[in-house]
Amino acid sequence: MEYRPSRRTTLLLGLSLAAVPATGLAVSRYAPHADAAVQATGLDDPAKKEIAMQIVCSAENSSLDWKAQYKYIEDIDDGRGYTAGIIGFCSGTHDMLELVELYADRKPNNLLQKYLPALRRVDGSDSHAGLDPNYTKDWKTAAKDTVFQQCQNDERDRVYFNPAVSRGKSDGLRTLGQFCYYDAIVMHGDGDDATSFGGIRKRALAKAKPPAQGGNETTYLNAFLDARVWAMKQEEAHSDTSRVDTAQRVFLRNGNVNLNTPLDWKVYGDPYHIG
């Protein structure tokens, strides 16, 4: 398969964040941003969420079939170790460790549990120590297990999807804006440095106000996407900005703030359509 640039720009080297104990409940660690005055349509509507999964998959895996990606795993040489699963959990950026911990909690003695000590050791690096030679094979086998699939779904929602939608709604953004936040958190991580989601949003806020602060939604989203492109260009692995330029920008120019179908876009030059 042709190489596709992918995943987070922030490798958590020297990670100080302690592993959050996995539980049977996938609860967001982020407090909800409740604002009764904000009337924003939701990316969390099941039909819209399905669209979001397909658009992200087109950029991450060159496919609309996101459910085929539970078994995906490879090292794409971006300094993050193994990248795997439906949202690109990485052995070097802590989220893969939390996923496998959750799987062990829900299904003790599963095929991947024996790799937990190694995953803790390589967290924050690109090392495969203790994972090779069988980790990729065992991941693909585990991916056939519906329990592991649900763990991937729940960690995607807890770490990426739910925070993005919550923050989008608190900023008064409709479905497209919530998606722009989600795609950014997927790639860049939810940190506060300049090239993580928090830094991208801060850069956008310096240029425009979101609707919740009295600003124009289109103006703000253009500022956010400008900031996103800047962040992507800070790293060679993400320097192709087509997932913004020929996808999210297209929807915004068309005024499709609710991500209504049909949708047509391109990523890395490849065309995609949702009818």
Side-chain angles (χ1 to χ4, degrees):
M1 177 184 293
E2 180 183 353
Y3 170 75
R4 302 298 192 188
S6 182
R7 317 309 179 198
R8 281 152 215 87
T9 60
T10 304
L11 176 59
L12 303 180
L13 290 170
L15 192 66
S16 61
L17 176 65
V20 177
T23 67
L25 296 176
V27 180
S28 173
R29 70 187 67 173
Y30 306 102
H33 299 262
D35 186 349
V38 175
Q39 298 296 323
T41 58
L43 193 68
D44 48 356
D45 173 88
K48 301 297 186 183
K49 186 174 184 178
E50 176 65 24
I51 289 171
M53 296 306 111
Q54 292 182 58
I55 298 173
V56 170
C57 192
S58 72
E60 296 288 319
N61 301 99
S62 300
S63 169
L64 297 183
D65 188 3
W66 66 269
K67 292 181 181 178
Q69 311 309 322
Y70 290 113
K71 66 180 182 296
Y72 165 77
I73 182 168
E74 65 176 323
D75 188 327
I76 60 174
D77 296 322
D78 64 351
R80 295 164 182 80
Y82 281 120
T83 295
I86 58 171
I87 209 65
F89 302 100
C90 295
S91 58
T93 60
H94 200 62
D95 53 355
M96 181 180 287
L97 170 60
E98 291 189 318
L99 169 63
V100 178
E101 286 178 333
L102 178 62
Y103 186 32
D105 183 78
R106 292 185 179 178
K107 189 171 183 177
N109 302 314
N110 68 68
L111 190 59
L112 297 182
Q113 186 167 342
K114 62 179 176 288
Y115 294 104
L116 280 172
L119 286 170
R120 293 186 182 109
R121 287 194 299 270
V122 303
D123 193 19
S125 78
D126 63 356
S127 174
H128 296 177
L131 299 176
D132 292 340
N134 295 318
Y135 185 63
T136 56
K137 175 176 67 70
D138 287 343
W139 178 284
K140 292 174 182 178
T141 299
K144 299 174 185 177
D145 182 0
T146 56
V147 175
F148 188 45
Q149 292 175 11
Q150 190 60 46
C151 287
Q152 290 196 37
N153 293 343
D154 290 344
E155 283 296 276
R156 170 202 62 201
D157 290 350
R158 181 181 73 85
V159 179
Y160 301 104
F161 188 82
N162 292 345
V165 171
S166 177
R167 292 174 191 194
K169 287 184 177 181
S170 74
D171 280 342
L173 301 176
R174 286 175 282 182
T175 308
L176 174 59
Q178 294 167 32
F179 175 77
C180 291
Y181 277 17
Y182 174 55
D183 191 64
I185 291 179
V186 166
M187 173 177 278
H188 302 278
D190 193 16
D192 293 323
D193 60 281
T195 56
S196 290
F197 171 78
I200 294 170
R201 181 175 175 274
K202 182 178 180 181
R203 193 179 186 91
L205 289 171
K207 300 291 185 180
K209 293 180 179 181
Q213 297 179 26
N216 176 271
E217 184 173 29
T218 299
T219 301
Y220 172 74
L221 285 179
N222 272 315
F224 181 83
L225 293 178
D226 288 345
R228 170 82 190 279
V229 167
W230 175 86
M232 291 174 71
K233 288 184 176 180
Q234 302 312 300
E235 185 180 10
E236 179 60 31
H238 296 145
S239 59
D240 185 314
T241 59
S242 60
R243 68 195 290 160
V244 172
D245 301 333
T246 54
Q248 294 168 52
R249 295 272 197 200
V250 172
F251 307 146
L252 186 59
R253 283 198 300 269
N254 291 340
N256 193 356
V257 291
N258 289 319
L259 274 183
N260 293 325
T261 55
L263 292 168
D264 291 279
W265 73 98
K266 292 182 179 180
V267 184
Y268 313 125
D270 298 331
Y272 297 93
H273 173 80
I274 299 177

